[in-house]
Amino acid sequence: MSTNLAAEQAQRNDDALSPSVACTRSIGDVVRRAMCADTSRLLAHDAAVRLGEDIEGVHQARVATRRLRSNLGTFSPVLRASPTAPLLKDLRWLGSVLGTARDLDVLRDRIRKDVRALDPLARGDGMTLIEAIDAD
């Protein structure tokens, strides 16, 4: 392998490992990239959350919310508190709402699994419970 080819390969590897760091010029760029990426992730799952048809969308929105909160905490030394404090409060609220929906879905899946493991004669009551949960 030629020296130039090896150097080009090494540069591609470096770029692949840290493209956002390699392209930034300031802390503002780093903050902007982090916040934009997670805001985009949250918005991409907005419809799934609102329609309630895809619990994975709820999970991904919850992840994006946690990451946005983490970013605000991580970058707090370089952010003004007055605009970020209300945003942090709203993200906490949204995370709580999404967390409740996600927790209920996980519980529903566990109950379904447990009901399937029951003796066939006892499954009727379990199925009634699942139907009641699904109707809610």
Side-chain angles (χ1 to χ4, degrees):
M1 181 180 279
S2 74
T3 306
N4 285 343
L5 189 55
E8 289 172 10
Q9 180 63 39
Q11 183 61 48
R12 279 195 299 273
N13 289 343
D14 287 348
D15 290 346
L17 291 173
S18 58
S20 61
V21 174
C23 298
T24 58
R25 296 183 201 157
S26 70
I27 188 66
D29 292 335
V30 173
V31 172
R32 194 173 303 107
R33 282 177 186 264
M35 295 300 290
C36 285
D38 293 319
T39 299
S40 294
R41 183 179 195 168
L42 179 60
L43 293 174
H45 297 286
D46 179 62
V49 170
R50 290 175 188 270
L51 295 174
E53 296 173 355
D54 178 19
I55 199 63
E56 183 60 25
V58 172
H59 173 66
Q60 292 301 320
R62 186 177 180 206
V63 169
T65 302
R66 280 196 325 260
R67 290 179 58 126
L68 284 165
R69 288 178 53 208
S70 176
N71 287 338
L72 289 173
T74 299
F75 298 123
S76 64
V78 297
L79 296 172
R80 289 185 308 228
S82 58
T84 57
L87 178 58
L88 194 55
K89 181 180 177 185
D90 289 347
L91 288 169
R92 268 192 212 104
W93 170 82
L94 181 58
S96 174
V97 170
L98 293 170
T100 299
R102 177 69 175 159
D103 292 346
L104 287 173
D105 188 63
V106 169
L107 180 59
R108 182 181 296 127
D109 285 346
R110 287 182 184 162
I111 290 172
R112 278 193 184 106
K113 182 180 175 183
D114 290 346
V115 166
R116 282 189 216 113
L118 290 173
D119 180 87
L121 296 175
R123 283 189 197 147
D125 291 337
M127 293 308 294
T128 302
L129 176 62
I130 290 172
E131 289 169 8
I133 291 170
D134 286 344
D136 205 15

